[in-house]
Amino acid sequence: MSFLRTEKIKLSPIKQMELLASQIPDVVSLAQGIPSFDTPEVIKKAVLKALGRGVAAKYSLTYGLPELREAIEQKLADEKMYYDFEKEIIATVGSIEGITASLISIINEKKDEVILFSPSYASYPEAVKVAGGKPIFSGLIEKDGWKIDFADLAKKINAKTAAILFCNPNNPTGTIFSKEDLFKLAELAWKKKIFVICDEVYKDFIYESGDCFFSLAQIPDLRKMVIRVFSMSKIYAMTGWRIGFVHSDEENISEIVKVHDALVTCAPTVSQYAAIAAMEFADKEAGEFCRQYQERRDLICGHLDDMPEIFSYQKPNSSYFVFPKIIKNNKKGKVNSWNFATDLLNKAKVAVVPGIAFGPSGEGHIRLSFGRDTKDIHEAMKKMKNYLNEQSV
Ligand SMILES: Cc1ncc(COP(=O)(O)O)c(C=O)c1O
């Protein structure tokens, strides 16, 4: 019906791909970024105890259980981020709710543009639109390891800019923004008085120790303009529990919490208990997930190395994604990634995400998830190789 405001909002292409894939039997999917692991036993056991005690069935405070927020405060302090659990942290329904609630509280008629890097997480543009804003893309520079293009970024900021929203490490490229570049970004945002929303859900999956991760939320002077989100989804293999958190200065959080209340009342209480247990007991398992993702990264990159005439790619140093560029028969500009991915799905029964899902600079690429287990990775890459050998792109 044409009068619905949400007509302009699309289902994320990642989910569209998973939907298409679910209709075809025997598809191997490297599409959606879902960890193959189950939630660690220690978390499940603690949840059973909470259920047994009868404490998990009711709403929590809108901000979340105090004991969860205290645990988050402690975890953040260990990472040199100092936020008061009573007023500066909200437990959210995954990080995406924290992002959307933040955008809804930031965007207004005068300031309705949100700058997103391209490529970056496919759900951001729709979250911006849900909040009544306009996504504005600033392309990353692929040849420099998907670095920020500061000349372009400066051009994109104007009086209507409300915020810059980005993920670090970046999805889909698996790259990490340097501390130096983050400082430059913060300086620009500071001068122009705009918010910076930092989504750091992959920060625990970093494979080569030389690449240092830094968060702008560590800088006390920036706390009024930096809103940071994090999630239990990836690190503890808890995507289905829908639990994450947002933190910032009290001034911002006191606004965001009103949106959070209107949207969801509180994060699921049972999942909040799971999150407490995760932070208390499951770091060993999280470390093991990271070790296995590194092996899977090397495995998938090995397969890509076998197809140098078809793909060029940068080895990701974080997250569980690799973002190869399709170079085969690519003399006349970029390959249409949607057509490439749907053909691959229909003919080879392999689901991947078309690069265009991540913004205009993603066109001509596909995203492969190595969150899936090694059997799936082997099978998908073998099928892809056979298909590509038979096709001209
Ligand atoms: C960069 C990034 N941010 C946020 C999310 C949302 O995760 P969740 O809402 O489960 O925390 C995802 C999920 O894939 C993601 O890749």
Side-chain angles (χ1 to χ4, degrees):
M1 283 188 283
S2 58
F3 56 84
L4 295 181
R5 183 169 83 84
T6 45
E7 278 237 314
K8 292 205 177 92
I9 296 164
K10 290 183 268 116
L11 186 67
S12 146
I14 302 176
K15 279 83 174 194
Q16 285 183 43
M17 260 299 152
E18 287 292 354
L19 265 178
L20 287 175
S22 70
Q23 287 149 17
I24 304 175
D26 304 324
V27 165
V28 195
S29 178
L30 302 184
Q32 199 170 356
I34 306 176
S36 66
F37 304 107
D38 191 11
T39 300
E41 282 304 315
V42 276
I43 300 175
K44 292 197 269 186
K45 277 192 189 138
V47 167
L48 286 178
K49 271 196 194 155
L51 286 168
R53 283 189 286 131
V55 291
K58 298 185 175 63
Y59 298 129
S60 72
L61 292 173
T62 290
Y63 280 85
L65 294 166
E67 53 268 54
L68 169 60
R69 287 178 287 126
E70 267 191 277
I72 294 170
E73 179 187 292
Q74 185 53 54
K75 193 93 174 164
L76 292 176
D78 294 345
E79 296 170 10
K80 301 195 180 67
M81 294 180 266
Y82 302 102
Y83 290 84
D84 177 351
F85 83 91
E86 298 207 70
K87 299 179 191 133
E88 298 185 321
I89 297 170
I90 311 169
T92 54
V93 183
S95 60
I96 194 65
E97 191 249 321
I99 292 167
T100 310
S102 303
L103 289 168
I104 291 173
S105 52
I106 287 172
I107 290 169
N108 59 49
E109 301 90 59
K110 285 194 188 140
K111 283 181 165 272
D112 67 349
E113 294 186 0
V114 176
I115 298 182
L116 309 173
F117 293 138
S118 168
S120 69
Y121 182 43
S123 290
Y124 292 158
E126 307 318 305
V128 171
K129 288 186 227 163
V130 165
K134 283 193 209 122
I136 305 290
F137 291 108
S138 177
L140 297 172
I141 308 172
E142 181 169 15
K143 69 173 171 44
D144 295 341
W146 296 108
K147 266 178 79 132
I148 299 170
D149 182 344
F150 281 99
D152 182 67
L153 182 60
K155 270 193 235 147
K156 298 280 162 67
I157 298 176
N158 62 49
K160 293 183 74 75
T161 308
I164 302 172
L165 160 62
F166 68 101
C167 38
N168 185 35
N170 192 27
N171 170 5
T173 57
T175 45
I176 302 167
F177 297 115
S178 69
K179 186 172 181 179
E180 194 191 354
D181 277 2
L182 290 171
F183 272 116
K184 270 165 91 173
L185 184 151
E187 205 183 325
L188 204 55
W190 178 274
K191 278 191 197 144
K192 304 284 181 178
K193 296 192 168 46
I194 58 182
F195 285 100
V196 176
I197 306 178
C198 307
D199 170 354
E200 299 179 356
V201 301
Y202 295 106
K203 72 154 182 70
D204 297 289
F205 301 145
I206 294 181
Y207 307 119
E208 250 75 60
S209 53
D211 239 344
C212 289
F213 173 82
F214 179 75
S215 176
L216 288 176
Q218 289 177 12
I219 304 175
D221 285 348
L222 298 182
R223 60 185 350 266
K224 282 196 194 298
M225 63 171 238
V226 170
I227 298 170
R228 176 178 179 272
V229 295
F230 189 67
S231 174
M232 310 300 157
S233 286
K234 316 290 173 176
I235 168 175
Y236 299 116
M238 289 175 64
T239 51
W241 295 81
R242 311 307 303 128
I243 183 80
F245 60 88
V246 56
H247 62 98
S248 183
D249 187 81
E250 179 186 353
E251 208 173 281
N252 302 325
I253 289 297
S254 64
E255 293 302 316
I256 296 168
V257 77
K258 296 184 222 166
V259 183
H260 169 71
D261 179 29
L263 289 175
V264 296
T265 306
C266 64
T269 305
V270 69
S271 303
Q272 295 190 51
Y273 279 104
I276 295 170
M279 285 188 295
E280 200 168 335
F281 304 121
D283 279 349
K284 193 167 105 272
E285 285 82 350
E288 178 57 20
F289 296 159
C290 182
R291 195 191 63 71
Q292 293 204 34
Y293 288 140
Q294 180 162 1
E295 278 181 17
R296 296 174 188 187
R297 175 200 63 165
D298 295 342
L299 175 71
I300 205 163
C301 288
H303 281 288
L304 289 170
D305 290 340
D306 290 343
M307 296 182 270
E309 69 295 349
I310 296 169
F311 296 117
S312 72
Y313 74 99
Q314 305 191 22
K315 193 171 184 179
N317 192 20
S318 55
S319 78
Y320 41 60
F321 303 113
V322 58
F323 198 57
K325 185 173 176 175
I326 311 153
I327 53 173
K328 189 178 182 191
N329 289 353
N330 185 21
K331 301 211 174 68
K332 301 177 233 101
K334 292 174 179 174
V335 168
N336 180 313
S337 59
W338 180 263
N339 290 349
F340 182 94
T342 46
D343 204 56
L344 184 70
L345 177 65
N346 290 324
K347 297 193 180 138
K349 298 195 177 186
V350 176
V352 301
V353 183
I356 190 68
F358 305 95
S361 315
E363 188 51 309
H365 298 70
I366 52 170
R367 189 193 75 176
L368 309 174
S369 167
F370 51 90
R372 305 299 167 107
D373 63 28
T374 48
K375 187 176 138 285
D376 279 0
I377 294 172
H378 266 308
E379 197 182 334
M381 296 308 282
K382 230 169 61 195
K383 284 183 168 180
M384 196 188 298
K385 256 182 238 174
N386 292 341
Y387 158 83
L388 289 167
N389 284 336
E390 287 163 14
Q391 303 285 315
S392 61
V393 179

